[in-house]
Amino acid sequence: MTTTAAYLLLLTTALSLSTTAYSIGVNYGTLANNLPSPTQVVNFLKTRTTIDSVKIFDTNPEILRAFANSGISVSVTVGNGDIPSLTQLPAARQWVTNNIAPYHPQTRIKYILVGNEILHSNDNVLMSNLVPAMKTLNFALVLAGLKGIKVTTAHSLGILSTAEPPSLGRFRPNYDRAIIRPMLQFLRETKSPFMVNPYPYFGYYAERANFQLFKRNPGVRDRYTRVTYTNSFDALMDATYTAMKSVGYADVDIVVGETGWPSLCDPGQPACSVENAASYNLNLVKHVNSGRGTPLMPNRRFETYIFALFNENLKPGPTAERNWGLFRPDFTRVYKAGIMRARRGGGKGRGGRPRPPAATPGGKKWCVPKPNISDQALQANIDYVCSLGSVDCKPIQAGGACFDPNNIRSHASFAMNSYFQKTGGGDSSCDFSHTGVVTTADPSKHKT
């Protein structure tokens, strides 16, 4: 390789890493009977939040279709029970044909997670088949010509036998040689990340609450490295890194597949509160985006998926299980987590929802769709605006005053402009994920 070619390769790699490293994603669970439609979710994420990636726990076709052309990446999960069959290439190829090929790349599928926390399950059949299934599924993607998708799996930190102090982090001996090392070798070869789910919440006790919640505290000193840790998240990440380094794979990237804090618990459980959840997630977002990294991994921005997008009312177990959400099903936020888009004009109400202005603007500006925007994107804008309840969409329904001309672009123009005017006429209210533009020409005089 020439010097110039090597430089370009390094530059391309650096740019790719810088693009993905800023990512704050969210786990989009659906164990509830009161959630908005996937189309509404996509529009909410695009127009109201800075979230640019989601992780789902299946391959739900409705969700995958909704995220098409959204600019938001989606990570999907293979059901645990499918793992043994996916060690066989015909089954893996059929799985890719059924669950990935119909959607990618219109829906930008980023990761395929082969099962979820398999090593935590202690199921010997699943554990022994995990790495072979990952390899076979990756080969099936190659044969199908589907590029840009990485195969990995998510781990609870139960894979560690030691996590304190971080410098002594080690994998459990029974996982080490048989599963972890072959997996890390596969991840290295395919440039895929090692995904872990660090949850300081599950190690909560009152004496160290500030350490676990990113609040001011005296810190915890690692006597071997003489590093003082000021938060539990960094300590868990460095324990994972040390374990990877101890088996020779410190170069494999680490992604945070899940982390978060519940906002409500059963009586007598002081760990859960809106205040604690807000402290953890708000400071987590700031910390990850700061680029400070951890003491053993300085200057790194970890791709991080917060758990979870919504409170899910059908999740079994204690009350906490149903209260991990950043948002309620009506899109009002449970607490501030630093992932809402800044808005100009009109202010914000509960959950970041814009309040109507005292008076509608004088009609000097309108919001219309940009040229050459797909009908699918415009229909998504219509669905989003009309789902909010603050805009009356009856005029563009059959028989309504603005139903004609009966085409998606005209109806989208009405919906987008109505939302724009309702929220105060600030230019950011016409963004609609870069599909809208502000104009001084009255669109009602130029209907198409």
Side-chain angles (χ1 to χ4, degrees), residues 98-396:
N98 293 343
N99 297 288
I100 304 298
Y103 312 106
H104 184 81
Q106 289 79 15
T107 297
R108 186 160 64 92
I109 298 175
K110 189 171 188 179
Y111 302 125
I112 298 175
L113 280 66
V114 180
N116 186 52
E117 298 190 344
I118 295 301
L119 302 187
H120 191 74
S121 72
N122 292 319
D123 185 315
N124 290 328
V125 173
L126 295 182
M127 290 192 295
S128 64
N129 284 287
L130 177 57
V131 176
M134 292 169 69
K135 293 179 177 179
T136 307
L137 192 56
N138 184 72
F139 187 40
L141 290 172
V142 173
L143 292 177
L146 296 171
K147 300 179 180 179
I149 304 173
K150 302 295 185 181
V151 175
T152 187
T153 188
H155 305 280
S156 80
L157 289 192
I159 59 174
L160 300 179
S161 62
T162 306
E164 291 188 12
S167 61
L168 294 185
R170 296 293 186 273
F171 294 117
R172 291 184 180 275
N174 53 325
Y175 299 158
D176 186 349
R177 293 184 180 277
I179 303 173
I180 296 292
R181 291 192 188 196
M183 181 185 297
L184 287 169
Q185 179 62 31
F186 165 77
L187 297 176
R188 173 188 281 169
E189 292 171 354
T190 58
K191 296 180 172 57
S192 301
F194 189 64
M195 186 175 285
V196 294
N197 299 340
Y199 277 104
Y201 164 74
F202 289 117
Y204 177 89
Y205 55 98
E207 291 78 5
R208 292 179 67 175
N210 287 352
F211 179 71
Q212 292 162 327
L213 291 165
F214 289 98
K215 293 182 178 181
R216 182 172 296 180
N217 65 90
V220 176
R221 189 171 184 265
D222 185 326
R223 63 185 179 276
Y224 297 104
T225 59
R226 299 181 181 178
V227 169
T228 297
Y229 285 84
T230 59
N231 64 83
S232 182
F233 177 82
D234 280 357
L236 292 173
M237 294 296 285
D238 275 357
T240 301
Y241 170 78
T242 302
M244 295 168 67
K245 185 178 181 180
S246 73
V247 294
Y249 292 92
D251 57 306
V252 175
D253 194 20
I254 302 175
V255 165
V256 178
E258 294 179 27
T259 190
W261 201 282
S263 60
L264 182 66
C265 274
D266 292 312
Q269 294 182 302
C272 301
S273 68
V274 169
E275 179 188 1
N276 284 353
S279 177
Y280 181 79
N281 281 324
L282 179 61
N283 286 299
L284 170 77
V285 171
K286 291 179 180 178
H287 183 62
V288 168
N289 282 337
S290 72
R292 291 195 301 269
T294 69
L296 300 186
M297 295 179 285
N299 304 317
R300 288 178 65 169
R301 292 178 174 88
F302 299 100
E303 184 179 356
T304 299
Y305 291 80
I306 297 174
F307 191 89
L309 181 56
F310 294 112
N311 285 337
E312 298 170 66
N313 67 353
L314 297 183
K315 290 190 73 175
T319 298
E321 286 300 306
R322 293 176 288 281
N323 289 279
W324 287 87
L326 298 172
F327 299 96
R328 303 176 184 88
D330 64 354
F331 294 117
T332 56
R333 68 187 178 201
V334 179
Y335 50 84
K336 182 179 179 180
I339 49 85
M340 302 301 292
R341 288 189 184 276
R343 305 187 65 86
R344 296 194 302 272
K348 296 179 182 177
R350 182 186 177 203
R353 180 164 293 183
R355 293 191 298 265
T360 301
K364 298 295 184 182
K365 295 194 297 183
W366 293 264
C367 177
V368 297
K370 290 180 179 178
N372 302 319
I373 299 298
S374 70
D375 283 355
Q376 184 180 22
L378 295 179
Q379 184 62 55
N381 291 345
I382 296 171
D383 293 342
Y384 170 70
V385 170
C386 296
S387 71
L388 296 176
S390 58
V391 172
D392 182 7
C393 288
K394 291 179 181 178
I396 55 175

Side-chain angles (χ1 to χ4, degrees), residues 81-93:
D82 292 335
I83 289 174
S85 67
L86 293 181
T87 62
Q88 304 300 311
L89 185 57
R93 297 193 72 177

